[in-house]
């Protein structure tokens, strides 16, 4: 298993280019199954969640061609069996998007229940509610979610809780249902808009993605298309925070500034300079960073996927900051690791109280999940001394070439294999 070795205390300087959005691509790759001819997808990031998604398609009978430069040609017309077994599905929570797409295409699906609960409870009751509204029978046996419908009929779906995954699965199942589906209390994340744009380019009829009411008029068939994935707003936010934490000066390129609004607002609030351009933002810091309070919310609120990274930055701000994690009930597992680096954080339920400390000190730490791992990289970059980060396979799920991108910004980071260990392929979340 590999680890990162970071020698901290160097300012990040220069330019970094953001890759395609993980949470868009893990929904769009399964959605290719809905097409009756091949699709070409561009700006696909080289991350392990993508490799797992493509492998699932391949094992199910799709033809997957890597055309190079982040472009893939996928012909899923060869898929006949709508089943995703545990040994494939367990590696990635987003494998549950195969439920919606296989139901939408074949009228039935058997997919292993997503594993683990690294961020706390992660039920899928709202996904199943959406499928039932459309006329499907859902059951759970031997860890497999089994759904089938004689006919999928457009319906009114009201989500009891705003859910990104539930909204995506409802869209995937409804695009070929007979009649109109109206999804209310829908999630509004940029990757939901990207999925809707992708499906509409295949001939779907989806209106209102990005608002809390999404209307879908079912169509009989969808054709293959060429599509480029949007840039990853969480990867962008992570580099913005890393630049601020090292008091550097970084131009973050290939972004959609509107997708970064809540992150930019909070950075400005604590004293970070953020200059916005059409497709990039520049981060720099002149004076001291000051405290703030943050509450994670569904988009366009402050994203939960930026909470660990921003909390790390607040360790270096003057004063007492309050961070409330309102989406997941166990997303502070990185705090123990930060404490080893000198952070002064106390956690009570969903609230972390962060006392700003002058600096962090390098230490051996372990990444508990994807975004917590990114937070520990930021801590290591800002800390004095050496930080070793174990279990970096979590980080590789969502950050393309992270060590190369950081080295290009002047960071002293290297990857080292730990002899005699193999990656613990535990079921992972996200
Ligand atoms: C997606 O997870 C993302 N994952 C997560 O990103 C992200 O943190 C999350 O959305 C929120 O933005 C992918 O897109 C692959 P939810 P998802 O359904 O869909 C509860 C990362 O770091 N809920 O919006 O699982 C749930 O327990 C990952 O990239 C139900 O109660 O999130 C949570 O408290 C981490 N019943 C809340 O809703 C359901 O049926 C939001 O979950 C579904 C969800």
């Amino acid at each position: 298993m590999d680890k990162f070795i970071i020698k901290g205390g160097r300012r990040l300087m220069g330019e970094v280019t953001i890759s395609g959005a993980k949470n868009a691509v893990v929904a769009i790759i399964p959605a290719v199954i809905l097409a009756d001819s091949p699709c070409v997808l561009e700006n696909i990031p080289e991350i392990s969640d993508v490799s797992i998604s493509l492998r699932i398609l391949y094992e199910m009978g799709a033809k997957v061609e890597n055309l190079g430069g982040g472009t893939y040609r996928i012909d899923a017309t060869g898929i006949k069996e709508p089943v995703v077994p545990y040994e494939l599905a367990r590696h990635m929570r987003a494998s549950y998007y195969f439920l919606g797409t296989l139901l939408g295409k074949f009228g039935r699906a058997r997919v292993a229940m997503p594993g683990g609960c690294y961020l706390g409870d992660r039920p899928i009751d709202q996904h199943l509610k959406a499928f039932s509204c459309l006329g499907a029978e859902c059951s759970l046996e031997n860890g497999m979610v089994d759904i089938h419908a004689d006919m999928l009929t457009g319906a009114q779906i009201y989500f009891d809780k705003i859910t990104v995954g539930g909204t995506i699965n409802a869209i995937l199942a409804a695009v070929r249902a007979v009649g109109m589906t109206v999804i209310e209390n829908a999630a509004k994340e940029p990757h939901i808009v990207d999925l809707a744009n992708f499906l509409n380019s295949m001939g779907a009829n989806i209106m209102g993605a990005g608002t809390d009411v999404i209307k879908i008029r079912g169509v009989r068939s969808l054709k293959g298309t060429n599509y480029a994935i949007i840039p990853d707003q969480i990867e962008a936010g992570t580099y913005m925070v890393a630049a601020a934490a090292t008091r550097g000066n970084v131009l973050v390129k290939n972004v959609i500034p509107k997708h970064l609004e809540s992150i930019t607002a909070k950075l400005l609030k604590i004293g970070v300079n953020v200059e916005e351009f059409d497709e990039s933002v520049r981060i720099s810091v002149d004076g001291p960073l000051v405290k703030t309070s943050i509450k994670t919310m569904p988009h366009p609120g402050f994203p939960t996927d930026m909470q660990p990274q921003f909390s790390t930055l607040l360790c270096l701000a003057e004063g007492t900051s309050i961070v409330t994690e309102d989406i997941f009930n166990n997303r502070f597992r990185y705090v123990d690791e930060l404490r080893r680096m000198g952070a002064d954080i106390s956690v009570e339920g969903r609230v972390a109280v962060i006392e700003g400390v002058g600096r962090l000190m390098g230490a051996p730490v372990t990444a508990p999940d994807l975004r917590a791992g990114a937070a520990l990289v930021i801590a290591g970059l800002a800390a004095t001394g050496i930080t070793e980060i174990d279990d970096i396979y979590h980080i590789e799920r969502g950050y393309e070439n992270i060590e190369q991108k950081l080295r290009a910004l002047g960071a002293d980071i290297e990857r080292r294999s730990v002899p005699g260990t193999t990656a613990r392929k535990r079921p992972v979340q996200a």
Side-chain angles (χ1 to χ4, degrees):
M1 192 151 53
D2 289 357
K3 60 168 62 175
F4 281 147
I5 314 288
I6 300 173
K7 188 169 178 308
R10 299 165 72 127
R11 293 174 176 226
L12 298 186
M13 307 293 280
E15 300 184 350
V16 63
T17 300
I18 298 306
S19 306
K22 166 182 98 76
N23 289 346
V25 78
V26 293
I28 287 173
I29 288 177
V32 168
I33 290 173
L34 289 161
D36 295 338
S37 52
C39 291
V40 174
L41 301 181
E42 296 171 21
N43 200 30
I44 303 291
E46 197 177 320
I47 54 176
S48 53
D49 272 13
V50 165
S51 333
I52 294 166
S53 304
L54 293 173
R55 182 157 157 242
I56 290 173
L57 277 183
Y58 173 75
E59 300 281 347
M60 292 178 73
K63 275 202 216 93
V64 178
E65 283 172 80
N66 183 345
L67 305 180
T71 301
Y72 288 82
R73 183 178 183 279
I74 305 172
D75 179 357
T77 54
I79 292 178
K80 299 290 177 249
E81 258 314 284
V83 178
V84 181
Y86 178 67
E87 58 272 14
L88 288 178
R90 73 191 183 101
H91 296 296
M92 186 184 67
R93 176 173 183 79
S95 46
Y96 58 28
Y97 292 144
F98 285 90
L99 280 169
T101 189
L102 291 168
L103 179 66
K105 171 84 176 200
F106 297 102
R108 59 194 174 89
R110 261 172 71 75
V111 179
M113 193 60 182
C117 56
Y118 291 94
L119 304 178
D121 303 336
R122 298 191 78 180
I124 62 166
D125 58 299
Q126 297 298 303
H127 301 234
L128 303 181
K129 170 181 179 176
F131 298 147
S132 307
C133 290
L134 294 166
E137 299 276 320
C138 306
S139 62
L140 176 59
E141 53 196 48
N142 311 324
M144 297 294 284
V145 180
D146 201 315
I147 45 177
H148 63 275
D150 297 334
M151 184 169 81
L152 289 170
T153 312
Q156 195 86 15
I157 301 170
Y158 183 86
F159 281 123
D160 308 324
K161 184 161 197 173
I162 295 177
T163 159
V164 169
T167 302
I168 287 174
N169 252 334
I171 292 171
L172 292 168
V175 279
R176 292 183 24 153
V178 175
M180 177 69 89
T181 293
V182 180
I183 302 171
E184 293 186 271
N185 204 21
K188 300 184 268 192
E189 272 68 5
H191 29 291
I192 287 170
V193 178
D194 208 28
L195 173 68
N197 291 338
F198 170 67
L199 291 168
N200 283 341
S201 77
M202 290 162 68
N205 187 340
I206 304 168
M207 299 149 280
T211 74
D212 56 1
V213 179
I214 300 175
K215 291 185 179 170
I216 304 166
R217 185 175 297 288
V219 294
R220 289 182 58 75
S221 70
L222 295 167
K223 61 187 187 325
T225 184
N226 282 30
Y227 193 79
I229 307 290
I230 53 168
D232 192 319
Q233 80 274 14
I234 303 300
E235 185 196 14
T238 302
Y239 282 99
M240 292 163 76
V241 168
T246 58
R247 303 183 69 80
N249 189 315
V250 175
L251 184 68
V252 183
K253 296 163 64 178
N254 188 35
V255 300
I256 299 172
K258 177 136 186 67
H259 292 170
L260 304 171
E261 275 177 347
S262 60
I263 301 165
T264 298
K266 283 297 175 187
L267 285 171
L268 290 168
K269 186 116 184 295
I270 67 170
V272 175
N273 306 317
V274 184
E275 267 180 283
E276 266 186 20
F277 306 97
D278 288 348
E279 296 177 348
S280 57
V281 291
R282 178 174 293 281
I283 300 295
S284 62
V285 179
D286 300 321
L289 299 180
V290 296
K291 65 176 173 57
T292 188
S293 50
I294 286 183
K295 182 174 182 180
T296 63
M297 299 171 74
H299 192 78
F302 189 86
T304 176
D305 293 349
M306 280 299 303
Q307 181 264 98
Q309 302 92 308
F310 213 97
S311 299
T312 300
L313 180 59
L314 293 174
C315 293
L316 302 167
E318 290 171 357
T320 306
S321 296
I322 310 287
V323 175
T324 305
E325 172 51 63
D326 221 23
I327 304 292
F328 293 112
N329 56 20
N330 182 19
R331 198 165 200 173
F332 289 120
R333 290 170 353 108
Y334 61 91
V335 168
D336 283 343
E337 304 300 312
L338 283 183
R339 285 192 187 118
R340 296 167 50 76
M341 300 177 72
D344 179 353
I345 307 177
S346 57
V347 176
E348 192 69 43
R350 289 180 176 239
V351 179
V353 178
I354 303 172
E355 297 296 345
V357 294
R359 62 191 180 89
L360 294 172
M361 292 157 292
V365 292
T366 300
D369 62 62
L370 165 59
R371 304 304 175 183
L376 294 174
V377 169
I378 291 168
L381 292 169
T384 311
I386 305 282
T387 298
E388 294 195 9
I389 304 176
D390 252 334
D391 285 3
I392 61 170
Y393 65 88
H394 284 296
I395 304 171
E396 291 165 331
R397 295 186 40 239
Y399 290 93
E400 180 180 56
N401 300 332
I402 185 168
E403 73 256 42
Q404 291 87 338
K405 290 187 178 185
L406 287 172
R407 265 206 295 275
L409 290 170
D412 181 344
I413 176 172
E414 58 168 293
R415 170 194 295 264
R416 199 172 295 168
S417 297
V418 182
T421 59
T422 50
R424 286 196 301 276
K425 286 290 175 208
R426 295 177 300 185
V428 288
Q429 289 293 311

